[in-house]
Amino acid sequence: MTSDPLLLTGDLAEANDRLLRTVAGLTAADVAAPSLLPGWTRAHVLTHLARNADGFVNLLTAARTGEPIPMYASVEARNADIEAGAGRGPADLLDDLRRSGQRFDAAVAQMPAEAWGAMVQARRGPWPAALLVWGRLREVEVHHVDLATGYRPADWPAAFAQRLLHEVTTGLAGNPDAPAMVLRVDGAAHELVVGDPEGAPTVTGPAPELAAWLTGRGAGELLTVVPDGPLPNPPEWI
């Protein structure tokens, strides 16, 4: 998958369309039901996605203007906004999700070429503005799965699953709590290594299944381990 933010806008538009179609079919009982995220209903997830889009608009604005605008006013404000919006019905949630996505698209369209080279203050620290479209795409695709409405990691586009897998593996490689392992994607010639590969188990399977397992969105039922044994226990993906 390309790292060019403007080329990723097409992938994001398709991901948004899939998500909006899912949400359009939800009832009041559906949005009040639990999501895959502990303690969050589907309405919590949808509200988070809308506020996340607005947070990314803040970061795009910071990159464009040079102003030190944070993604969220504070962690407390972010959490309060999610709680406040989680009691709404499906029509309001859908409208909020659609409008916030449109605001993000408009902010991307306003970015001059040089602004993509800026660094912005994301929730967990400095982040290149050039990765903001990817970051939003990742939020939409992963949280679509979290809605538990039938959209699964196997439905992720192949390029997205490959990039997510590489990103998560890179993060694990720098995490001292990550177990040593070698990841092998079905049909791929190269391997992804976490820690010391000497004596480490090799985990093989489709890229979406590997990415889902490492991000806590799958139990790895389709993955194989050599030598035979349990899957390694990676740290929680944040």
Side-chain angles (χ1 to χ4, degrees):
M1 176 175 279
T2 178
S3 59
D4 187 324
L6 296 182
L7 292 180
L8 283 176
T9 56
D11 297 284
L12 177 57
E14 293 174 359
N16 279 328
D17 286 345
R18 289 191 292 270
L19 176 63
L20 291 172
R21 285 196 298 270
T22 292
V23 179
L26 300 180
T27 66
D30 291 333
V31 298
S35 72
L36 295 183
L37 298 178
W40 271 15
T41 65
R42 291 182 177 123
H44 282 92
V45 174
L46 294 172
T47 302
H48 163 63
L49 276 168
R51 300 291 72 77
N52 171 266
D54 287 336
F56 275 126
V57 169
N58 288 337
L59 297 182
L60 288 165
T61 304
R64 179 171 54 83
T65 65
E67 295 294 322
I69 304 170
M71 186 170 185
Y72 301 108
S74 67
V75 173
E76 293 77 15
R78 169 192 176 271
N79 295 339
D81 284 345
I82 293 172
E83 285 298 330
R88 296 174 296 170
D92 288 338
L93 290 164
L94 177 60
D95 183 64
D96 188 17
L97 190 63
R98 180 181 290 113
R99 289 177 182 273
S100 60
Q102 291 170 345
R103 289 191 291 271
F104 178 86
D105 293 343
V108 168
Q110 292 175 12
M111 287 281 284
E114 63 273 13
W116 291 113
M119 294 293 293
V120 294
Q121 190 65 31
R123 186 182 169 203
R124 294 187 176 87
W127 220 43
L131 291 180
L132 291 174
V133 178
W134 159 251
R136 179 58 184 171
L137 175 60
R138 184 183 59 200
E139 288 287 310
V140 170
E141 287 287 10
V142 172
H143 287 314
H144 195 170
V145 170
D146 290 334
L147 291 176
T149 54
Y151 189 75
R152 304 162 302 150
D155 298 315
W156 286 335
F160 172 82
Q162 288 277 1
R163 178 161 182 170
L164 179 62
L165 175 61
H166 280 257
E167 181 180 75
V168 175
T169 304
T170 299
L172 288 175
N175 187 337
D177 295 327
M181 54 185 161
V182 176
L183 306 178
R184 183 175 295 159
V185 177
D186 286 342
H190 67 284
E191 299 174 331
L192 302 173
V193 178
V194 177
D196 184 358
E198 185 68 28
T202 298
V203 182
T204 303
E209 293 294 327
L210 287 165
W213 165 58
L214 292 176
T215 59
R217 269 70 185 180
E221 295 96 336
L222 299 181
L223 304 179
T224 60
V225 184
V226 177
D228 189 35
L231 286 167
N233 188 25
E236 182 180 3
W237 180 66
I238 301 176

